């Protein structure tokens, strides 16, 4: 398996883990927070899904375009994310579309032998565009951990938490 094939497979597995978490959430759990000013589960999910379009807007606007609503703009005049006001239980589509756009952007950059755009000089994965996929996996994992902690704190039983941990089987296939 080539490095890119392995990374692609890992990226797809990450998507499956996100789906497993989304499917396991109860409607009342979207409002869970740490009670000390931290984000709610819904806000974390929105941030996770929005991460893709935010970076793609910087890296490859052509690939960000399907994720945007060109009829609505933010204060800077940039188009808003299509899922800007979606209820949290509809964010699965945002994850799916964002993942596909990220894969397409990475594959296009690699096929053309070019780096991503870096208009704000933030360091746009200069060594290899595929690092964007790795960053997304790590970013999602970090935030899934936050959500798991909120679910535990919010009253999920040890048995329910164990059931949520079954997503690890996806990584061991």
């Amino acid at each position: 398996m080539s490095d890119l094939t392995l990374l692609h497979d890992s990226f797809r597995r990450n998507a499956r883990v996100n789906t497993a978490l989304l499917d396991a959430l109860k409607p009342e759990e979207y409002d869970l927070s740490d009670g000390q000013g931290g984000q709610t589960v819904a806000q974390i999910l929105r941030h996770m899904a929005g991460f893709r379009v935010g970076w793609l807007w910087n890296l490859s606007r052509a690939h960000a375009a399907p994720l945007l609503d060109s009829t609505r703009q933010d204060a800077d005049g940039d188009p808003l994310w299509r899922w800007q006001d979606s209820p949290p239980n509809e964010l699965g589509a945002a994850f799916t579309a964002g993942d596909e756009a990220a894969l397409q952007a990475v594959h296009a950059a690699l096929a053309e032998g070019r780096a991503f755009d870096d208009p704000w000089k933030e360091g746009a994965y200069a060594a290899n565009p595929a690092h964007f996929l790795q960053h997304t996996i790590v970013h999602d994992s970090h935030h899934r951990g936050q959500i798991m902690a909120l679910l535990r704190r919010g009253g999920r039983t040890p048995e329910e938490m164990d059931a949520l941990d079954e997503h690890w089987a996806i990584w061991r296939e």
Side-chain angles (χ1 to χ4, degrees), residues 75-91:
D76 296 326
D78 295 328
L80 289 178
W81 183 42
R82 284 181 31 203
W83 291 272
Q84 188 74 25
D85 301 317
S86 294
N89 64 333
E90 294 178 11
L91 288 174

Side-chain angles (χ1 to χ4, degrees), residues 27-50:
E28 63 273 14
E29 291 173 327
Y30 291 122
D31 293 326
L32 291 174
S33 76
D34 64 7
Q36 298 184 10
Q39 293 182 319
T40 65
V41 169
Q43 290 169 325
I44 294 169
L45 290 169
R46 189 170 307 285
H47 168 75
M48 288 169 63

Side-chain angles (χ1 to χ4, degrees), residues 38-161:
Q39 293 182 319
T40 65
V41 169
Q43 290 169 325
I44 294 169
L45 290 169
R46 189 170 307 285
H47 168 75
M48 288 169 63
F51 170 87
R52 291 143 173 81
V53 71
W55 270 99
L56 285 171
W57 183 245
N58 293 340
L59 302 172
S60 180
R61 292 207 171 169
H63 292 95
L67 308 174
L68 300 169
D69 178 355
S70 61
T71 66
R72 298 172 53 212
Q73 298 177 340
D74 66 15
D76 296 326
D78 295 328
L80 289 178
W81 183 42
R82 284 181 31 203
W83 291 272
Q84 188 74 25
D85 301 317
S86 294
N89 64 333
E90 294 178 11
L91 288 174
F95 278 100
T96 299
D99 283 351
E100 285 308 308
L103 284 167
Q104 290 173 12
V106 167
H107 286 259
L110 291 172
E112 296 165 15
R114 63 172 171 81
F116 281 130
D117 297 334
D118 192 7
W120 291 278
K121 309 294 183 236
E122 292 179 325
Y125 312 98
N128 188 317
H131 287 148
F132 175 49
L133 302 179
Q134 289 176 314
H135 185 183
T136 303
I137 293 168
V138 172
H139 180 264
D140 286 358
S141 298
H142 165 72
H143 289 299
R144 281 193 305 263
Q146 290 178 313
I147 291 170
M148 294 291 281
L150 290 173
L151 294 176
R152 184 176 295 109
R153 185 177 182 157
R156 286 271 181 135
T157 67
E159 295 79 21
E160 289 173 319
M161 293 306 296

